[in-house]
Amino acid sequence: TNLILSNNTQSFGQACFVISKITTIQFNNKIKTIGQQVFQGTQIENLAVPDSLEILGPYAFYACSKLKNLTINSKLTSIGSFCFANCTNLEKLGNSNNNIIEYLQSTNVKAVGDSAFESCQKLTGTFYNKLITKAGNCTIGSSIFNKTGVVVTINLADGLELKNDGTYLIKKSAYAGATNFTG
């Protein structure tokens, strides 16, 4: 149930601990990437991303239903698609509360993949069109806050594409997860 990584551990193979009974992880400071599905479905309750970590891959902590606390370090720049999706008990972010928008704004994250926090029902916040972190504009995927307590407010024009004939095309997944429309 306890995973202690030696100083020689630098990476993980895909899905290497999927659905294991790991409840705690003690990282070393050589891990730069946690790849696809590495800890998916584990029993981990608290996650403090190590200082060396820069990338969390797709599905890295997907469906870790017991995960309650998450702390992101200052070097983390990328959160992959579905990384924390279905972490239904995730509510504490670092030393703050459950406001995921305010928390992400305090980090250096530059990219968040599709559905990264989907179904994390205890996360809250208000999201307007774009996310700006300490690193600047953050590239975000579609539906990153789908089925959360985050209120997504968008400008309808942001989801439209003007065609040559003067009509508009609604972009794919343009309003997915939105709960409040303006414009």
Side-chain angles (χ1 to χ4, degrees):
T1 59
N2 299 315
L3 177 63
I4 301 171
L5 299 171
S6 75
N7 286 331
N8 295 328
T9 306
Q10 295 182 8
S11 63
F12 305 97
Q14 182 176 339
C16 62
F17 295 109
V18 166
I19 312 174
S20 69
K21 295 183 189 240
I22 294 172
T23 58
T24 59
I25 305 168
Q26 184 178 340
F27 290 100
N28 65 42
N29 276 326
K30 291 187 178 183
I31 303 289
K32 290 190 179 205
T33 301
I34 294 178
Q36 188 168 336
Q37 297 177 289
V38 173
F39 295 104
Q40 179 179 329
T42 61
Q43 303 298 307
I44 188 168
E45 294 179 20
N46 302 301
L47 177 62
V49 173
D51 292 339
S52 58
L53 193 71
E54 297 173 9
I55 298 170
L56 284 170
Y59 296 89
F61 291 93
Y62 178 83
C64 291
S65 61
K66 293 188 177 187
L67 181 62
K68 293 179 184 177
N69 304 307
L70 169 65
T71 302
I72 296 174
N73 72 35
S74 62
K75 288 185 181 176
L76 187 71
T77 60
S78 180
I79 299 173
S81 297
F82 294 91
C83 186
F84 294 103
N86 289 324
C87 292
T88 53
N89 283 306
L90 182 59
E91 63 184 356
K92 183 146 175 60
L93 303 163
N95 292 324
S96 67
N97 57 16
N98 57 355
N99 188 318
I100 185 67
I101 305 304
E102 288 177 4
Y103 189 65
L104 286 173
Q105 289 171 337
S106 73
T107 70
N108 287 309
V109 173
K110 295 178 185 175
V112 179
D114 296 342
S115 302
F117 295 97
E118 183 173 304
S119 297
C120 295
Q121 301 135 346
K122 295 182 180 183
L123 297 181
T124 63
T126 302
F127 178 68
Y128 300 100
N129 288 339
K130 60 178 140 178
L131 180 61
I132 299 173
T133 68
K134 286 182 178 180
N137 282 335
C138 181
T139 303
I140 57 169
S142 65
S143 305
I144 62 172
F145 302 118
N146 193 29
K147 299 178 187 171
T148 67
V150 174
V151 175
V152 178
T153 302
I154 62 169
N155 183 329
L156 289 176
D158 291 339
L160 300 176
E161 181 180 312
L162 181 62
K163 294 172 58 177
N164 289 337
D165 64 2
T167 62
Y168 288 92
L169 173 71
I170 298 175
K171 298 175 189 174
K172 180 181 177 185
S173 301
Y175 310 118
T179 56
N180 186 10
F181 292 96
T182 60

